[in-house]
Amino acid sequence: MKSLLMGFIFVFLFSISTHAQPINASQFLDASFDASGNLLPEVQGQLSFASQQFSELPAPVKAIFGNQRVQVNLTRNDGVSETLGVVLSNNEIVSFTRYAPTNPSMVITTDEATILGIAQSENISNAFIQAVNSGKLTYSAVQGGGGEFAVFIANIVTWIMTVINAIMHALGLS
């Protein structure tokens, strides 16, 4: 099972780039956004690719996260903090900005090393669960923002996946 938040954050942050080389958040962000924090026109067209990746996630994930306004607090490897915005509407990623969306419904906090570790993992779900359980990736609802249900479900799924991963590990299946 793909993790709930993986689908739109990690696929979005890293599939938008067309580079096959190792990803560097600073270079990626500087090359993708204009001075006001909006996607450059040549990158804007790749939102449809990211939306396509999101559309391949299971229906429950799309139902929960398909209409969210997510503020991503990212600490780059060089120590600089970035605030990004991802807005999803009707299961499509409609905007990605280098600033928080207006009235975010959720906040996700992580760092570049964690994102890269998850994105490059052979078992993305397990890597995501480990990042959440270690506190390297956190998510929360913004009170009154409409993300409370999504976070509640994500917490349940994270707990279930933690138990399943522990059982599989104990049985030598992972």
Side-chain angles (χ1 to χ4, degrees):
M1 172 194 263
K2 292 182 180 179
S3 69
L4 292 177
L5 298 175
M6 291 308 306
F8 70 90
I9 293 174
F10 302 111
V11 168
F12 187 75
L13 287 177
F14 294 107
S15 69
I16 256 185
S17 176
T18 58
H19 307 291
Q21 60 210 9
I23 298 164
N24 174 291
S26 178
Q27 291 173 347
F28 167 73
L29 294 170
D30 289 345
S32 300
F33 293 94
D34 63 21
S36 64
N38 294 308
L39 276 177
L40 294 170
E42 57 269 22
V43 180
Q44 185 74 31
Q46 294 184 26
L47 285 178
S48 61
F49 174 74
S51 290
Q52 178 186 3
Q53 295 296 311
F54 182 80
S55 73
E56 294 175 11
L57 293 171
V61 174
K62 292 186 293 190
I64 294 167
F65 294 102
N67 288 297
Q68 295 292 326
R69 302 174 67 76
V70 182
Q71 175 179 324
V72 180
N73 298 324
L74 173 70
T75 302
R76 299 184 335 207
N77 287 340
D78 61 9
V80 173
S81 295
E82 294 275 353
T83 300
L84 307 171
V86 181
V87 177
L88 293 100
S89 179
N90 297 319
N91 294 320
E92 295 210 6
I93 300 169
V94 295
S95 76
F96 179 41
T97 57
R98 205 168 182 178
Y99 53 85
T102 305
N103 302 320
S105 56
M106 313 178 75
V107 175
I108 296 170
T109 303
T110 192
D111 59 43
E112 181 178 357
T114 300
I115 287 177
L116 289 175
I118 293 169
Q120 296 170 350
S121 174
E122 292 198 18
N123 185 337
I124 289 177
S125 292
N126 190 41
F128 173 79
I129 297 301
Q130 288 177 356
V132 169
N133 288 339
S134 70
K136 292 181 179 181
L137 187 146
T138 63
Y139 53 89
S140 61
V142 174
Q143 285 295 84
E148 294 90 347
F149 180 70
V151 169
F152 173 74
I153 296 300
N155 287 338
I156 292 172
V157 170
T158 299
W159 181 82
I160 291 170
M161 290 304 298
T162 299
V163 171
I164 289 171
N165 286 340
I167 292 169
M168 289 179 67
H169 181 73
L171 297 174
L173 300 173
S174 65

Short mmCIF file of all heavy atoms in Angstrom, two decimals, residues 2 4 11 14 26 29 51 56-57 62-63 72 75-76 83 94 98 100 107-108 118 145 149 155 161 164 166 170 173:
data_model
loop_
_atom_site.label_atom_id
_atom_site.label_comp_id
_atom_site.label_asym_id
_atom_site.label_seq_id
_atom_site.Cartn_x
_atom_site.Cartn_y
_atom_site.Cartn_z
N LYS A 2 0.58 2.15 -0.88
CA LYS A 2 1.35 3.40 -0.91
C LYS A 2 0.93 4.25 0.28
O LYS A 2 -0.21 4.24 0.69
CB LYS A 2 1.07 4.16 -2.21
CG LYS A 2 1.60 3.45 -3.43
CD LYS A 2 1.33 4.28 -4.66
CE LYS A 2 1.86 3.56 -5.88
NZ LYS A 2 1.61 4.29 -7.10
N LEU A 4 -0.12 7.44 2.44
CA LEU A 4 -1.08 8.49 2.14
C LEU A 4 -0.44 9.78 1.65
O LEU A 4 -0.85 10.35 0.65
CB LEU A 4 -1.92 8.80 3.38
CG LEU A 4 -2.86 7.71 3.81
CD1 LEU A 4 -3.58 8.14 5.09
CD2 LEU A 4 -3.86 7.40 2.74
N VAL A 11 6.16 12.53 -4.82
CA VAL A 11 6.05 12.47 -6.28
C VAL A 11 6.03 13.88 -6.83
O VAL A 11 6.71 14.18 -7.80
CB VAL A 11 4.77 11.69 -6.69
CG1 VAL A 11 4.50 11.86 -8.17
CG2 VAL A 11 4.93 10.22 -6.35
N PHE A 14 9.50 15.81 -6.50
CA PHE A 14 10.63 15.30 -7.24
C PHE A 14 10.31 14.79 -8.62
O PHE A 14 11.20 14.61 -9.43
CB PHE A 14 11.37 14.25 -6.41
CG PHE A 14 12.00 14.88 -5.21
CD1 PHE A 14 11.48 14.69 -3.96
CD2 PHE A 14 13.07 15.74 -5.36
CE1 PHE A 14 12.03 15.31 -2.86
CE2 PHE A 14 13.63 16.38 -4.25
CZ PHE A 14 13.11 16.16 -3.00
N SER A 26 17.84 22.89 -3.26
CA SER A 26 18.15 24.28 -3.55
C SER A 26 18.19 24.53 -5.06
O SER A 26 17.55 25.47 -5.56
CB SER A 26 19.49 24.67 -2.93
OG SER A 26 19.83 25.99 -3.24
N LEU A 29 14.61 24.03 -6.58
CA LEU A 29 13.70 25.14 -6.30
C LEU A 29 14.11 26.40 -7.05
O LEU A 29 13.27 27.09 -7.62
CB LEU A 29 13.61 25.38 -4.79
CG LEU A 29 12.98 24.24 -3.99
CD1 LEU A 29 13.16 24.48 -2.50
CD2 LEU A 29 11.52 24.06 -4.34
N SER A 51 -0.02 15.46 -11.39
CA SER A 51 -1.42 15.10 -11.16
C SER A 51 -1.71 13.69 -11.64
O SER A 51 -2.47 12.95 -11.00
CB SER A 51 -2.36 16.09 -11.86
OG SER A 51 -2.31 17.34 -11.23
N GLU A 56 -2.93 7.96 -9.81
CA GLU A 56 -2.68 6.52 -9.74
C GLU A 56 -2.71 5.98 -8.32
O GLU A 56 -2.61 4.76 -8.12
CB GLU A 56 -1.34 6.20 -10.41
CG GLU A 56 -1.37 6.48 -11.91
CD GLU A 56 -0.03 6.30 -12.58
OE1 GLU A 56 0.90 5.74 -11.95
OE2 GLU A 56 0.10 6.71 -13.75
N LEU A 57 -2.87 6.85 -7.34
CA LEU A 57 -2.96 6.40 -5.96
C LEU A 57 -4.34 5.78 -5.72
O LEU A 57 -5.29 6.04 -6.46
CB LEU A 57 -2.74 7.58 -5.01
CG LEU A 57 -1.33 8.15 -5.02
CD1 LEU A 57 -1.29 9.44 -4.20
CD2 LEU A 57 -0.34 7.15 -4.48
N LYS A 62 -7.03 9.48 -2.67
CA LYS A 62 -7.49 10.62 -3.46
C LYS A 62 -8.69 11.28 -2.80
O LYS A 62 -8.80 12.51 -2.81
CB LYS A 62 -7.82 10.17 -4.88
CG LYS A 62 -6.59 9.74 -5.66
CD LYS A 62 -6.89 9.44 -7.10
CE LYS A 62 -7.77 8.22 -7.21
NZ LYS A 62 -7.92 7.73 -8.56
N ALA A 63 -9.57 10.49 -2.23
CA ALA A 63 -10.75 11.06 -1.58
C ALA A 63 -10.36 11.92 -0.37
O ALA A 63 -10.96 12.96 -0.12
CB ALA A 63 -11.69 9.94 -1.14
N VAL A 72 4.09 23.04 3.12
CA VAL A 72 5.22 22.14 3.36
C VAL A 72 6.37 22.97 3.89
O VAL A 72 6.85 23.89 3.22
CB VAL A 72 5.65 21.42 2.06
CG1 VAL A 72 6.82 20.48 2.34
CG2 VAL A 72 4.48 20.66 1.45
N THR A 75 13.30 21.84 5.40
CA THR A 75 14.64 22.32 5.73
C THR A 75 15.60 21.67 4.75
O THR A 75 15.71 20.45 4.68
CB THR A 75 15.03 21.95 7.18
OG1 THR A 75 14.08 22.51 8.07
CG2 THR A 75 16.42 22.48 7.52
N ARG A 76 16.27 22.52 3.97
CA ARG A 76 17.20 22.01 2.98
C ARG A 76 18.48 21.52 3.67
O ARG A 76 18.73 21.84 4.82
CB ARG A 76 17.55 23.11 1.97
CG ARG A 76 16.35 23.60 1.20
CD ARG A 76 16.66 24.62 0.15
NE ARG A 76 17.88 25.39 0.34
CZ ARG A 76 18.06 26.61 -0.14
NH1 ARG A 76 17.12 27.20 -0.85
NH2 ARG A 76 19.20 27.25 0.06
N THR A 83 9.37 27.32 2.66
CA THR A 83 7.94 27.08 2.82
C THR A 83 7.37 26.93 1.42
O THR A 83 7.52 27.82 0.58
CB THR A 83 7.25 28.23 3.55
OG1 THR A 83 7.84 28.37 4.85
CG2 THR A 83 5.76 27.96 3.70
N VAL A 94 -3.19 21.67 -8.58
CA VAL A 94 -3.46 22.89 -9.34
C VAL A 94 -2.39 23.95 -9.13
O VAL A 94 -2.26 24.84 -9.97
CB VAL A 94 -4.86 23.46 -9.03
CG1 VAL A 94 -5.94 22.51 -9.50
CG2 VAL A 94 -5.03 23.78 -7.56
N ARG A 98 6.42 28.47 -3.98
CA ARG A 98 7.52 28.57 -3.02
C ARG A 98 7.09 29.47 -1.87
O ARG A 98 7.89 30.20 -1.29
CB ARG A 98 8.75 29.12 -3.72
CG ARG A 98 10.05 28.73 -3.05
CD ARG A 98 11.24 29.04 -3.91
NE ARG A 98 12.47 28.62 -3.28
CZ ARG A 98 13.65 28.73 -3.82
NH1 ARG A 98 13.78 29.24 -5.02
NH2 ARG A 98 14.73 28.32 -3.17
N ALA A 100 3.56 29.48 1.25
CA ALA A 100 2.40 28.73 1.75
C ALA A 100 1.14 29.13 1.00
O ALA A 100 0.99 30.27 0.59
CB ALA A 100 2.21 29.00 3.24
N VAL A 107 -0.32 20.98 7.38
CA VAL A 107 1.09 21.40 7.40
C VAL A 107 1.93 20.13 7.49
O VAL A 107 1.68 19.27 8.33
CB VAL A 107 1.40 22.32 8.60
CG1 VAL A 107 2.89 22.64 8.66
CG2 VAL A 107 0.58 23.59 8.53
N ILE A 108 2.91 20.04 6.61
CA ILE A 108 3.85 18.93 6.63
C ILE A 108 5.23 19.53 6.84
O ILE A 108 5.59 20.51 6.19
CB ILE A 108 3.80 18.15 5.30
CG1 ILE A 108 2.42 17.52 5.15
CG2 ILE A 108 4.90 17.10 5.23
CD1 ILE A 108 2.15 16.93 3.81
N ILE A 118 13.23 8.87 1.28
CA ILE A 118 11.95 8.23 0.97
C ILE A 118 11.79 8.06 -0.54
O ILE A 118 11.43 6.98 -1.02
CB ILE A 118 10.78 9.06 1.56
CG1 ILE A 118 10.83 9.01 3.08
CG2 ILE A 118 9.44 8.52 1.05
CD1 ILE A 118 9.89 9.98 3.76
N GLY A 145 -9.20 24.40 9.06
CA GLY A 145 -8.79 24.45 7.66
C GLY A 145 -9.36 23.33 6.81
O GLY A 145 -9.20 23.33 5.60
N PHE A 149 -9.89 15.67 9.08
CA PHE A 149 -10.26 14.30 8.73
C PHE A 149 -9.11 13.60 8.02
O PHE A 149 -8.80 12.44 8.31
CB PHE A 149 -11.52 14.28 7.86
CG PHE A 149 -11.94 12.89 7.48
CD1 PHE A 149 -12.46 12.03 8.43
CD2 PHE A 149 -11.79 12.43 6.17
CE1 PHE A 149 -12.83 10.73 8.09
CE2 PHE A 149 -12.16 11.15 5.82
CZ PHE A 149 -12.69 10.28 6.78
N ASN A 155 -3.22 9.24 10.34
CA ASN A 155 -2.71 8.69 11.60
C ASN A 155 -3.10 7.22 11.75
O ASN A 155 -2.28 6.40 12.18
CB ASN A 155 -3.23 9.49 12.78
CG ASN A 155 -2.56 10.84 12.90
OD1 ASN A 155 -1.47 11.06 12.40
ND2 ASN A 155 -3.23 11.76 13.57
N MET A 161 0.11 0.61 9.22
CA MET A 161 1.30 0.25 8.45
C MET A 161 2.49 -0.04 9.37
O MET A 161 3.30 -0.92 9.08
CB MET A 161 1.64 1.35 7.45
CG MET A 161 0.65 1.46 6.30
SD MET A 161 0.45 -0.07 5.37
CE MET A 161 2.09 -0.31 4.74
N ILE A 164 1.85 -3.58 10.59
CA ILE A 164 2.08 -4.54 9.50
C ILE A 164 3.58 -4.68 9.21
O ILE A 164 4.08 -5.80 9.06
CB ILE A 164 1.31 -4.11 8.22
CG1 ILE A 164 -0.19 -4.31 8.43
CG2 ILE A 164 1.80 -4.88 7.00
CD1 ILE A 164 -1.05 -3.72 7.33
N ALA A 166 6.03 -4.15 11.26
CA ALA A 166 6.67 -4.85 12.38
C ALA A 166 6.43 -6.36 12.29
O ALA A 166 7.34 -7.16 12.52
CB ALA A 166 6.14 -4.31 13.72
N ALA A 170 9.25 -9.19 11.73
CA ALA A 170 9.38 -10.29 12.67
C ALA A 170 9.32 -11.65 11.96
O ALA A 170 9.98 -12.59 12.37
CB ALA A 170 8.30 -10.21 13.75
N LEU A 173 9.84 -11.22 6.39
CA LEU A 173 9.27 -10.96 5.07
C LEU A 173 9.61 -9.58 4.53
O LEU A 173 9.18 -9.24 3.44
CB LEU A 173 7.75 -11.14 5.12
CG LEU A 173 7.27 -12.52 5.53
CD1 LEU A 173 5.76 -12.52 5.72
CD2 LEU A 173 7.71 -13.56 4.52
#
